[in-house]
Structure formats: structure tokens, C-alpha cells
């Protein structure tokens, strides 16, 4: 038994968790950002796919993975804009719009995959993002093993969480975003451009989530495969709720989910009596458990999912 | 009609022929308004007269369908509140524009935040807030969360919000509606100080007393039209009332003396908690007799909503007993109470009184829709429903078609529909909560006389209202609620408005020989908590 523990809880498991957490954390922070501005963001899954595909395609064409990363961000902003168009301009139900975006992007990336590279279900391998190894950090025992050498996007994520926290809770822009998510009328009456701010926030969130996609395809691997996000967008959504609509909370929640995932993978490598499918369920099961506990405690932004300005006849302001 | 004689001051704001419609409703029908520099201008009109709409147009929240706006003699296009603020126009809204979860400072600086090194400069914000607050005696704690403030404090924050944007024209939309009499006095003091500072105030109300008390000029709106503008000194309350309503109104209701009968509604040491688990009702004991109206006074949020909910069966009680018509309900929830003869006019008609998207026919039978003659073997019977609801419409002079969604009725007609439905089956006990909130004078008169008819017929009526005038006009007895307990009770004619205001604010009027009784000691004052505000 103690051997098994050693296999499961070695430092590698943590390193793997960090790698696995990155796309979920980026998407979760994107969720935090857009939901703080009052827009429910079910479309994270679609943004991950868009980012993953755009990153590989542009890298395939140019041979430069950094251009791929930029392309992913651009694709994510576009998808964010699309969500804004549905949810703000056309006043669609936010959940329906988000689900629509997910279906649209799953279909679109699958189709493009076949059109561009033929029907194999994966793209050819492209140049992946480099692994950075941080000079002083890598030499510290344990910490070095954990943090010493990763895709640049992993480091970006670790820095992005506190940075985003600072933006949301300590800058004018963040205050405006939060005001809109809580009480758009109040924001409007103090002269804040509600819809414009929402569009900008959605685009920033789109870029962030798409970076998660780029990490999936160019950071972890070096190719795109059909539906490679595999539900991480939904886990990100859960991480955002569990993290109380706070970027740092989102990151921590994503790390927790990823750790379960890493442990699950280790368990599978061991001789064990359980069917693989049951073991693979662990992270998802945890998501459900955590959510059913967390949802009761947490309070979403008060105007989440509402349209502004409200429909005429929807009652006096 | 009459326009005030040319004054020394030029108009600072002129609205000319403003038009605005919402679907079929014409909210403003060519309204003219001229506000002079440095005056307190009262905009008077019934609920639904179009006052808020007109001011929201001036503040850039609604685009007008037609008309012209001039500020300081210049024609302007105000497309957003930002434009309005740039012109020095600020507005304190009828429903406060504050975010519960943010601090006072965050609410106050949003939109024009002081910045240092790219981050919010909260220290400078606090200082600016304190300076402005000191100047006008508007005490607030910049670091308190809005959710912990009393309504009066929240209003101070709203006023500060406008002042910190350096406005010199301030619109206040029904600012007194939610305040105790003492808080109203305080507000008037602030307003007079603002006027002394050279600011122009536009003050919306439908209360004549306030108009007469301290406005310089008054404009009356009725049905979206400008009726006239007068110097306040040249008018009288009677004249203004007639202008508001368009006919003579009785400002008093006749309430014949009556000896109350048996106790029909009884609460014995009832306590309840709110959705967040906080105690909101503590050991409330009261009883209402046949032929009696018991009024519940109190600043909103002091347990009235929870009281309504526990009596109606919408919230479980954590301890105590309720007896309706002499019996404890056997079934929890509203149905058991209705079976004992309870009628409930909910305080929020749109959330609880009506299924707004459903037609009038359905709304007219809600709560009895499953019973004969409206349903047989689980199927609705259209002819019986139509004839019953049709009768209700005629009896209560409700303007609306049987098949129209209830949401298309005006507020007054919606409320009359709720009242008609609830009174239709000869209830023994009536729980009437804010029965005339947001409705026009015609509907108010109608509803009041119906309640008095029910009283004459021997019903026991518990009247929860935020409108002191209504409570004083209708109630036989009054109790005052403060922080979930009853702090005073007595015959209604033994309370003065001033005393009521003090009780409502949690203070004890020390008037020797006051005949209104402090509630006896079995209702101990609740311990003060963090969120408690006197
Ligand atoms: N946003 C809105 N949508 C639809 N109807 C509205 C809206 N605002 C006001 N109204 C209607 O316009 C009329 C005037 O309303 P309002 O200006 O709020 O009156 P007041 O402030 O004088 O009570 C009412 O009949 C009201 O129902
Ligand atoms: Mg109004």
C-alpha cells in the first residue's frame, strides 16, 4: 500500500496537476471576468476549442508557435464578441447563447480539422511552445522540481490570477465591471457605458480562455484533435463558482480539480481492482460534490444573466 | 393654465413639449416644465402621472419621443446620464442605485474614481467623502457596506453621490417615501442647505403636505400632461389635490365607530428567521377582533415582510402559535389558512399577487382555481370563471379585458383585481399588506372603502402599510414594529405622527401622559447587533 501512496503522491503528480490545471484555470478566470460583468459564460468550452485550433493552425502555417498563441487570443476575442452579440445585442438568454457557442465551435473546429488536414481526427504535429526553465527557481529542491520547467503559459497563469484580482478589486476598470454585474442601472446612472464595458470584458475573457486552449494544443501537446477540450470548459465554470467569482479562487479550484485528475491518472497506472471508467470519473465527481456544497454558500453577482437595458414593459426601473 | 409671474431668476432648465410612450401607455404627453435657478421646484402628481419618466428623460436615461430640452438657455441633447452630469444635473432615484455588496466609498466613486499608480485611491476617496459629508451634515461611514445601512443612511449616500459629481441641479424622485418623519425633517434640512448654497432642486412627490411645507413653486402633472405651475404660496392643498386628481377628492375617509367582536386572528409569541438565517420576528403577540382594523406601522425592513409571510403561510415560524378564526391551521402553507377564512392581499402584487403574464380570468380565481365551480374533475370550467371574473371587474370598476394578460393592466387596476379576488369569498380575516402602494387616488379611495365595508361586515383586518396617512385613516388600533418586535401599541387616535416616527426609529417618545402604551415587558427589546441602526 505504501508503495501505491508513493506512486500517487510523488512530486510528479503535483507537477502534472499544475500542467493540467492551466487550461482550466485560464478558462475559469475568463468565466470570473465575464460573470463579474453580469454575463453568464457557458461558452468557455467553445473558447478553449477555438483557441486550441487557431493556435495549431497558425503554427502549422507559419511554423511559429508564438504567432499561434496570438492567433488563439484573436480567435477567443472573436468568440467573446459573438457571445456579446447574442447575449447583449440580440438579448438572447445567456445560457442558451453559451451552449450555442459551444456547439457551434465543436462543429466548426471538427469541420475545419477535416477540411485542412483530412479526416484523421487529429492534426499533424506542429512546433510546440518551448519549455521555459527558470534559472534560480529550478535549482531549489522540491520547488524547482515543481515550478522549474514548464510551458510559458503555466507561468503566465500563475501570475495572471493575482494580477486579475488586482484589476478586479483595486482598479477603476474592475470597480466598473463589478458595478455592472451587480446593478447595471446604478452603473448607467453614474455614467458608465454598461454594454460597451461588457463587450470589452467579454473579449478580454475570450482571449484568456483561448490561451487555455493554446496551452492544451501547443503547451501540453503539439497538435489539435477533435473535441480536445473534453469538458474542461464546464469544469472551469464550476471552478469559477467554487472560487467565489474571484480569479485567485478560480486558480485554486482549478488546481484542486487538476490534482484529482493527476491522482486519477496515477491510480490507473497501478494494479487496482476498479474499472478504469470509474477511476476516470473522480475529477468530475469531485466537481459535482464541490459544487453542491459551494453553491449554497456563494452568492453570484446580483445581475448575472440579466439584460440591460431591460425590455420595455418589464416594469418600472 | 396658470404660469407663475416672471421671476427674478431665469429658468435653468426648460422642458418643452416632452413626449414619451411605452407601448400603448403615453407616459408624457407634451409636457412643459420651467425650473428657475436656485428654487425648490416641486413636481406633484399621482402615481403613474409620468413624473419619474419626465425626470429620467432629463437625466438621459430615456430618449424622448419628441420635445426640446434647454439647460441654461441652451438647447441640449442629453443622451446618457453622463451628458446630464456634464450639464450639472444629478438625480436621486426613487429606487436607490446602490450596490449592497460594495462599500459606501466604492459606490460613491464609481464612474469617477480617484487613481494613484493605476489603482483606486481609496484614501483620497474617503477624504473627499468626509469633506462633502461634513459640509452638508450627511454623516456616513465610507467603509460600511451598503447592505448594513438603514434606508435613511442609504439615501444620504445617494445624495452624496450626486453632490460629489458637482451637480447644481439636483432631482430627487420621491425621496420621502421610505423615510420616517424624523428622517424627512433631516432631508428637508439638507435640501434647504443645498438651496442656500445656490443649487436648484427638483423635488418629486405625491404628498401635498411636503409640497406646501417647503417648495417655492409647484408643477402638477396628471395622466402625462402638464396641468399647471404655481407659486406654492398662491395655492392650497385642496386646490392642488383637485389638480392632481382632476376632480374633487375627499382627503378623509369616514370610519364609523364600531364595537369589536371576537378575536379572529391571534399570534402568540411568534418568531421567525429570514432567508439568511437571521432572526427577523421575535416573540410577536397580537390579536385582531371581528370588525377591527389593526395597523402595523414601522420602517420597512423591521419584520413586516416576515410577519406577512408567517401569517399567510409562506414562511415557517420558528416558535409560537397562530390562530385563525379560533383554530390553528392543520395544514402548513397558504391553503390551510385560506380554508380557515384568511384572505391575503400581498405587499408585492407582481411577485405574489398576480401571475402577470396570465390573463385576467386566471388571475381572478387564483387560489380557488382547483375548486368548484371553477374546476370540475381537474378541468377548468371556462363559463363559470368568465362570469365570476366578469362580475369582479364590474364591481370594482377594473378597466381591463378578461383575456388580456394581467401585466397589461395599470398598477391601480392590477391592485384592484387582487383585492377583488381576495375579498370575493367573504373572508373572516384579511391580511392587507401595502394595499394601495403605487396606485392612483381613485383606486386608493376604492380599496379603502372596500376594506371599511369588510370591517363593517365583521372581518378582522390586519393592515401592514408603509404609508402613515393610510394607517392613521383606517386603523382602529396601531402597533409599531421595530427590529422584529412590537415596541408600542394603542388606539390609533392616541398616536401623533411625531410619536409614531420616534417609535419607528426605535426611540421612546418621552411625552408625559402619552396614552399610547409602550409594549409591555414580555416583548424585550432585541439585543443590538452589528447591523442594527437607530
Ligand atoms: N420602463 C417602462 N416601461 C413601460 N411602462 C412604463 C415604464 N416606465 C413608466 N411606465 C409607465 O408610464 C406611466 C408613468 O410612469 P411614471 O413616470 O413612473 O409615473 P410616476 O413617477 O409619476 O408615478 C405609468 O403608466 C407607467 O406604468
Ligand atoms: Mg415615480
Amino acid at each position: 500500500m505504501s508503495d501505491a501512496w508513493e506512486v500517487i503522491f510523488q512530486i510528479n503528480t503535483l507537477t502534472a496537476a499544475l500542467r493540467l490545471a492551466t487550461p482550466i484555470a485560464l478558462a475559469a478566470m475568463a468565466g470570473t471576468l465575464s460573470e463579474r460583468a453580469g454575463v453568464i459564460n457557458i461558452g468557455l468550452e467553445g473558447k478553449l476549442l477555438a483557441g486550441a485550433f487557431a493556435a495549431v493552425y497558425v503554427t502549422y502555417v507559419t511554423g511559429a508557435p508564438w504567432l499561434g498563441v496570438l492567433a488563439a487570443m484573436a480567435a477567443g476575442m472573436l468568440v467573446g464578441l459573438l457571445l456579446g452579440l447574442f447575449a447583449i445585442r440580440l438579448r438572447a438568454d445567456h445560457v442558451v447563447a453559451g451552449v450555442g457557442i459551444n456547439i457551434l465551435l465543436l462543429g466548426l473546429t471538427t469541420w475545419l480539422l477535416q477540411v485542412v488536414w483530412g479526416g484523421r481526427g487529429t492534426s499533424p504535429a506542429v512546433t510546440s511552445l518551448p519549455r521555459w526553465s527558470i534559472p534560480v527557481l529550478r535549482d531549489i529542491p522540491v520547488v524547482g522540481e515543481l515550478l522549474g520547467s514548464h510551458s510559458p503559459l503555466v507561468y503566465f497563469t500563475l501570475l495572471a490570477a493575482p494580477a486579475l484580482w488586482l484589476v478586479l478589486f483595486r482598479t477603476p476598470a474592475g470597480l466598473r465591471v463589478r458595478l455592472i454585474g451587480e446593478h447595471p442601472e446604478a452603473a448607467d446612472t453614474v455614467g458608465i457605458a454598461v454594454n460597451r464595458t461588457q463587450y470589452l470584458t467579454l473579449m478580454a475573457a475570450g482571449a484568456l480562455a483561448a490561451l487555455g486552449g493554446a496551452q492544451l494544443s501547443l503547451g501540453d501537446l503539439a497538435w489539435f484533435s477533435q473535441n480536445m477540450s473534453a469538458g474542461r470548459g464546464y469544469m472551469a465554470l464550476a471552478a469559477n463558482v467554487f472560487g467565489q467569482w474571484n480569479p485567485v479562487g478560480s486558480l485554486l479550484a482549478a488546481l484542486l480539480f487538476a490534482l484529482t485528475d493527476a491522482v486519477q491518472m496515477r491510480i490507473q497506472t497501478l494494479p487496482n481492482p476498479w474499472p478504469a471508467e470509474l477511476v476516470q470519473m473522480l475529477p468530475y465527481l469531485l466537481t459535482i460534490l464541490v459544487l453542491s456544497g459551494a453553491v449554497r454558500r456563494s452568492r453570484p453577482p446580483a445581475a448575472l444573466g440579466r439584460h440591460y437595458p431591460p425590455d420595455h414593459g418589464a416594469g418600472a426601473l | 393654465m396658470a404660469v407663475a409671474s416672471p421671476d427674478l431668476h431665469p429658468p435653468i432648465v426648460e422642458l418643452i413639449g416632452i413626449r414619451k410612450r411605452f407601448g400603448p401607455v403615453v407616459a408624457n404627453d407634451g409636457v412643459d416644465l420651467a425650473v428657475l435657478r436656485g428654487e425648490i421646484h416641486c413636481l406633484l402628481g399621482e402615481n403613474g402621472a409620468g413624473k419619474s419618466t419626465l425626470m429620467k428623460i432629463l437625466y438621459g436615461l430615456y430618449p424622448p419621443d419628441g420635445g426640446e430640452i434647454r439647460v441654461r438657455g441652451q438647447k441640449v441633447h442629453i443622451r446618457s446620464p453622463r451628458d446630464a452630469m456634464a450639464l450639472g444635473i444629478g438625480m436621486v432615484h426613487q429606487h436607490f442605485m446602490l450596490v449592497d455588496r460594495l462599500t459606501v466609498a466604492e459606490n460613491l466613486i464609481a464612474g469617477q474614481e480617484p487613481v494613484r499608480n493605476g489603482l483606486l485611491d481609496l484614501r483620497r476617496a474617503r477624504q473627499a467623502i468626509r469633506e462633502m459629508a461634513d459640509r452638508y451634515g450627511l454623516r456616513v461611514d465610507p467603509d460600511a457596506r451598503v447592505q448594513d445601512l438603514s434606508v435613511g443612511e442609504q439615501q444620504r449616500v445617494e445624495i452624496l453621490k450626486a453632490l460629489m459629481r458637482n451637480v447644481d441641479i439636483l432631482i430627487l424622485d420621491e425621496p420621502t417615501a421610505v423615510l420616517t418623519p424624523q428622517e424627512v425633517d433631516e432631508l428637508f434640512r439638507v435640501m434647504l442647505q443645498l438651496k442656500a448654497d445656490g443649487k436648484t432642486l427638483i423635488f418629486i412627490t405625491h404628498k401635498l403636505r411636503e409640497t406646501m411645507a417647503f417648495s417655492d413653486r409647484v408643477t402638477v402633472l396628471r395622466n402625462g400632461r402638464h396641468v399647471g405651475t404655481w407659486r406654492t404660496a398662491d395655492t392650497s392643498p385642496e386646490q392642488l389635490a383637485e389638480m392632481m386628481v382632476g376632480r374633487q377628492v375627499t382627503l378623509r375617509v369616514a370610519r364609523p365607530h364600531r364595537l369589536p367582536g371576537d378575536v379572529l386572528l391571534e399570534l402568540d409569541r411568534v418568531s421567525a428567521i429570514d432567508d439568511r438565517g437571521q432572526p427577523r420576528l421575535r416573540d410577536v403577540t397580537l390579536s385582531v377582533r371581528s370588525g377591527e382594523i389593526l395597523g402595523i406601522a414601522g420602517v420597512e425592513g423591521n419584520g413586516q415582510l416576515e410577519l406577512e409571510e408567517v401569517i399567510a403561510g409562506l414562511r415557517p415560524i420558528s416558535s409560537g402559535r397562530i390562530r385563525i378564526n379560533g383554530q390553528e391551521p392543520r395544514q402548513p402553507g397558504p391553503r390551510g389558512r385560506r380554508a380557515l377564512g384568511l384572505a391575503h392581499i400581498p405587499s408585492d402584487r407582481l411577485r405574489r399577487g398576480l401571475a402577470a403574464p396570465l390573463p385576467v380570468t386566471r388571475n381572478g380565481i387564483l387560489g380557488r382555481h382547483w375548486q368548484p365551480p371553477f374546476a370540475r374533475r381537474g378541468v377548468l370550467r371556462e363559463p363559470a370563471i368568465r362570469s365570476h371574473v366578469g362580475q369582479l371587474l364590474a364591481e370594482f370598476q377594473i378597466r381591463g379585458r378578461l383575456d388580456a394578460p394581467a401585466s397589461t393592466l395599470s398598477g391601480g387596476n392590477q391592485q384592484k383585481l387582487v383585492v377583488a379576488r381576495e375579498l370575493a369569498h367573504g373572508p373572516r380575516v384579511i391580511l392587507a399588506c401595502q394595499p394601495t402602494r403605487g396606485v392612483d387616488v381613485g383606486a386608493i379611495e376604492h380599496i379603502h372603502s372596500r376594506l371599511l365595508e369588510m370591517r363593517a361586515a365583521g372581518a378582522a383586518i390586519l393592515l401592514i402599510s408603509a404609508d402613515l396617512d393610510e394607517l392613521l385613516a383606517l386603523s382602529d388600533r396601531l402597533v409599531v414594529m421595530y427590529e422584529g418586535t412590537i415596541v408600542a401599541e394603542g388606539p390609533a387616535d392616541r398616536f401623533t405622527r411625531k410619536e409614531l416616527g420616534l417609535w419607528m426609529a426605535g426611540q421612546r417618545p418621552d411625552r408625559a401622559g402619552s396614552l399610547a402604551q409602550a409594549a409591555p415587558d414580555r416583548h424585550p427589546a432585541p439585543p443590538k447587533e452589528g447591523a442594527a441602526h437607530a
Side-chain angles (χ1 to χ4, degrees):
Chain A
M1 198 64 216
S2 71
D3 281 354
W5 281 117
E6 264 167 43
V7 175
I8 293 171
F9 290 106
Q10 54 183 314
I11 193 88
N12 276 343
T13 315
L14 290 180
T15 316
L18 192 55
R19 185 172 50 78
L20 293 169
T22 298
I24 301 175
L26 285 168
M29 288 187 252
T32 301
L33 207 54
S34 54
E35 298 210 342
R36 280 284 179 176
V39 184
I40 302 174
N41 204 337
I42 306 279
L44 295 172
E45 184 79 3
K47 291 173 184 171
L48 282 172
L49 278 176
F53 181 88
V56 166
Y57 179 72
V58 169
T59 310
Y60 174 79
V61 172
T62 64
W66 284 111
L67 285 181
V69 169
L70 285 181
M73 291 175 71
M77 287 165 83
L78 223 64
V79 181
L81 197 63
L82 192 68
L83 180 61
L85 203 67
F86 286 135
I88 300 168
R89 180 74 173 276
L90 301 175
R91 312 173 73 82
D93 181 279
H94 293 186
V95 173
V96 173
V99 170
I101 278 181
N102 289 344
I103 296 174
L104 176 72
L105 276 142
L106 177 58
L108 187 67
T109 50
T110 304
W111 178 70
L112 286 173
L113 181 66
Q114 286 172 2
V115 171
V116 180
W117 293 298
R120 285 190 308 270
T122 57
S123 74
V126 297
T127 321
S128 69
L129 279 171
R131 263 173 164 254
W132 280 357
S133 118
I134 311 289
V136 177
L137 206 58
R138 69 181 168 216
D139 301 326
I140 307 174
V142 186
V143 177
E145 228 178 308
L146 186 61
L147 292 175
S149 166
H150 281 288
S151 144
L153 290 178
V154 173
Y155 297 114
F156 172 81
T157 306
L158 292 177
L159 296 179
L164 215 55
W165 180 89
L166 207 68
V167 170
L168 262 181
F169 295 102
R170 291 289 182 270
T171 69
L175 178 60
R176 289 170 184 210
V177 165
R178 285 185 291 142
L179 200 65
I180 289 169
E182 293 287 333
H183 196 337
E185 291 85 359
D188 194 1
T189 54
V190 294
I192 296 169
V194 174
N195 289 345
R196 179 151 37 103
T197 310
Q198 285 178 320
Y199 275 114
L200 289 174
T201 312
L202 280 180
M203 286 169 69
L208 210 56
L211 277 179
Q215 163 69 9
L216 275 179
S217 62
L218 287 185
D220 276 357
L221 308 164
W223 59 81
F224 179 84
S225 65
Q226 194 205 345
N227 190 22
M228 79 184 305
S229 53
R232 286 181 182 81
Y234 296 101
M235 288 180 97
L237 215 58
N240 165 47
V241 175
F242 187 39
Q244 312 270 322
W245 287 268
N246 178 326
V248 177
S250 283
L251 172 65
L252 294 176
L255 280 169
L256 178 69
F257 292 167
L259 184 65
T260 341
D261 203 12
V263 167
Q264 167 271 121
M265 287 180 194
R266 292 284 183 268
I267 294 177
Q268 285 197 60
T269 64
L270 296 169
N272 71 64
W274 307 295
E277 288 79 2
L278 274 187
V279 177
Q280 281 165 8
M281 256 172 52
L282 274 179
Y284 302 93
L285 206 62
L286 180 77
T287 311
I288 291 173
L289 285 180
V290 150
L291 273 190
S292 49
V295 164
R296 239 179 311 148
R297 272 190 304 116
S298 57
R299 193 171 133 197
L304 184 58
R306 257 178 46 196
H307 294 129
Y308 189 84
D311 291 314
H312 275 331
L317 225 81
Chain B
M1 275 183 84
V3 170
S5 53
D7 280 68
L8 298 172
H9 301 275
I12 189 164
V13 172
E14 287 166 281
L15 302 175
I16 302 156
I18 299 293
R19 254 167 238 297
K20 177 75 187 174
R21 55 190 308 159
F22 296 103
V25 178
V26 181
N28 288 159
D29 191 1
V31 178
D32 298 329
L33 174 70
V35 180
L36 306 183
R37 185 184 299 276
E39 73 171 343
I40 296 183
H41 194 112
C42 183
L43 195 54
L44 186 68
E46 283 205 66
N47 280 305
K51 308 179 296 289
S52 296
T53 303
L54 188 66
M55 289 301 109
K56 283 179 182 170
I57 288 172
L58 176 58
Y59 193 60
L61 282 169
Y62 294 151
D65 298 337
E68 192 180 313
I69 301 177
R70 291 195 202 141
V71 177
R72 296 181 194 87
Q74 302 276 325
K75 183 172 173 178
V76 293
H77 292 280
I78 303 178
R79 289 191 191 80
S80 70
R82 189 172 279 268
D83 292 348
M85 283 183 276
L87 290 165
I89 301 172
M91 182 159 175
V92 173
H93 297 265
Q94 192 168 0
H95 305 283
F96 296 154
M97 296 291 174
L98 297 173
V99 178
D100 280 4
R101 263 207 273 191
L102 300 188
T103 64
V104 168
E106 286 174 315
N107 271 286
L108 285 177
I109 60 176
Q112 51 152 31
E113 307 83 355
V115 177
R116 219 178 94 213
N117 305 326
L119 300 184
L120 292 172
D121 189 350
L122 282 175
R123 194 140 51 95
R124 216 165 82 215
R126 277 189 208 105
Q127 199 184 331
I129 292 166
R130 291 227 172 82
E131 269 166 28
M132 189 58 84
D134 285 347
R135 195 156 132 210
Y136 293 103
L138 293 159
R139 271 177 311 105
V140 290
D141 171 7
D143 296 312
R145 283 195 192 277
V146 168
Q147 63 196 11
D148 297 330
L149 302 185
S150 71
V151 179
E153 287 171 306
Q154 292 187 15
Q155 188 174 62
R156 274 182 236 154
V157 178
E158 277 286 55
I159 294 174
L160 276 175
K161 197 158 85 177
L163 294 179
M164 291 185 65
R165 285 164 172 79
N166 290 320
V167 301
D168 49 20
I169 304 162
L170 184 60
I171 306 163
L172 296 125
D173 194 350
E174 306 226 7
T176 60
V178 290
L179 302 182
T180 64
Q182 280 73 21
E183 285 172 322
V184 171
D185 288 347
E186 176 67 16
L187 173 70
F188 287 173
R189 182 192 64 69
V190 172
M191 287 176 68
L192 289 172
Q193 196 181 338
L194 287 167
K195 178 185 160 181
D197 253 21
K199 303 208 188 288
T200 307
L201 293 119
I202 304 176
F203 166 60
I204 304 184
T205 187
H206 60 253
K207 295 185 185 165
L208 295 167
R209 188 160 4 89
E210 295 170 355
T211 308
M212 298 310 296
F214 82 128
S215 67
D216 297 306
R217 295 197 311 151
V218 49
T219 291
V220 175
L221 294 190
R222 184 194 333 140
N223 282 334
R225 295 217 177 82
H226 175 239
V227 179
T229 299
W230 299 269
R231 298 226 325 244
T232 309
D234 299 342
T235 62
S236 68
E238 289 74 23
Q239 225 178 332
L240 289 175
E242 205 176 320
M243 292 302 162
M244 265 168 79
V245 185
R247 62 183 164 84
Q248 285 219 311
V249 285
T250 44
L251 290 174
R252 303 197 65 80
V253 284
R255 192 167 52 80
H257 185 71
R258 218 179 164 285
L259 274 185
D262 299 335
V263 172
L264 292 184
L265 173 67
E266 212 179 341
L267 269 68
D268 183 17
R269 301 179 63 91
V270 168
S271 301
I273 56 174
D274 69 7
D275 295 336
R276 294 189 204 163
Q278 300 297 314
R280 295 309 295 266
L281 276 189
R282 305 173 217 232
D283 282 336
V284 170
T285 298
L286 54 82
S287 60
V288 194
R289 292 173 177 276
S290 165
E292 184 186 46
I293 299 182
L294 174 66
I296 307 279
V299 178
E300 276 188 81
N302 277 280
Q304 296 96 320
L305 180 63
E306 288 76 13
L307 181 66
E308 170 186 352
E309 289 172 338
V310 297
I311 296 175
L314 294 166
R315 176 176 297 281
I317 54 181
S318 39
S319 66
R321 293 160 185 279
I322 293 181
R323 250 181 242 104
I324 294 169
N325 213 351
Q327 295 176 49
E328 278 189 53
R330 254 170 285 129
Q331 220 180 331
R335 197 174 278 192
R337 326 243 157 162
R338 283 182 180 274
L340 294 177
L342 178 78
H344 177 205
I345 301 166
S347 52
D348 187 340
R349 65 174 162 271
L350 286 177
R351 211 159 66 83
R352 283 190 167 150
L354 296 168
L358 294 187
V360 169
T361 49
R362 296 296 177 270
N363 279 289
I365 58 162
L366 284 182
R368 299 191 183 268
H369 53 280
W370 48 279
Q371 284 176 335
F374 306 133
R376 284 267 158 77
R377 285 180 224 92
V379 180
L380 290 177
R381 294 187 62 244
E382 204 62 36
I385 296 172
R386 298 185 78 84
S387 83
H388 175 74
V389 179
Q391 220 172 317
L392 292 183
L393 296 194
E395 232 177 274
F396 280 76
Q397 295 152 26
I398 299 168
R399 272 182 291 158
R401 286 181 306 107
L402 280 176
D403 297 307
S407 57
T408 60
L409 269 53
S410 77
N413 284 312
Q414 287 177 346
Q415 186 68 11
K416 283 200 281 186
L417 178 60
V418 174
V419 174
R421 179 187 73 212
E422 293 300 316
L423 302 188
H425 300 273
R428 301 292 293 144
V429 180
I430 300 166
L431 175 58
C433 308
Q434 319 291 357
T436 60
R437 170 178 284 176
V439 306
D440 55 276
V441 169
I444 293 178
E445 281 179 332
H446 196 116
I447 292 168
H448 283 175
S449 65
R450 290 295 167 152
L451 288 174
L452 289 170
E453 274 170 39
M454 298 306 290
R455 169 180 175 267
I461 302 176
L462 186 74
L463 172 68
I464 301 180
S465 177
D467 182 347
L468 277 189
D469 295 321
E470 176 169 76
L471 285 171
L472 288 167
L474 293 182
S475 308
D476 298 293
R477 279 192 306 131
L478 279 176
V479 305
V480 183
M481 287 189 70
Y482 178 71
E483 294 193 343
T485 56
I486 292 176
V487 292
E489 56 182 292
D493 48 14
R494 301 282 162 78
F495 285 98
T496 63
R497 296 179 60 86
K498 184 153 181 260
E499 279 171 335
L500 273 179
L502 287 172
W503 285 118
M504 285 162 65
Q507 279 151 5
R508 190 171 272 260
D510 43 11
R511 193 182 69 157
S514 168
L515 289 168
Q517 295 286 306
D521 278 345
R522 67 196 152 97
H523 311 298
K528 287 269 185 218
E529 286 170 1
H533 289 267

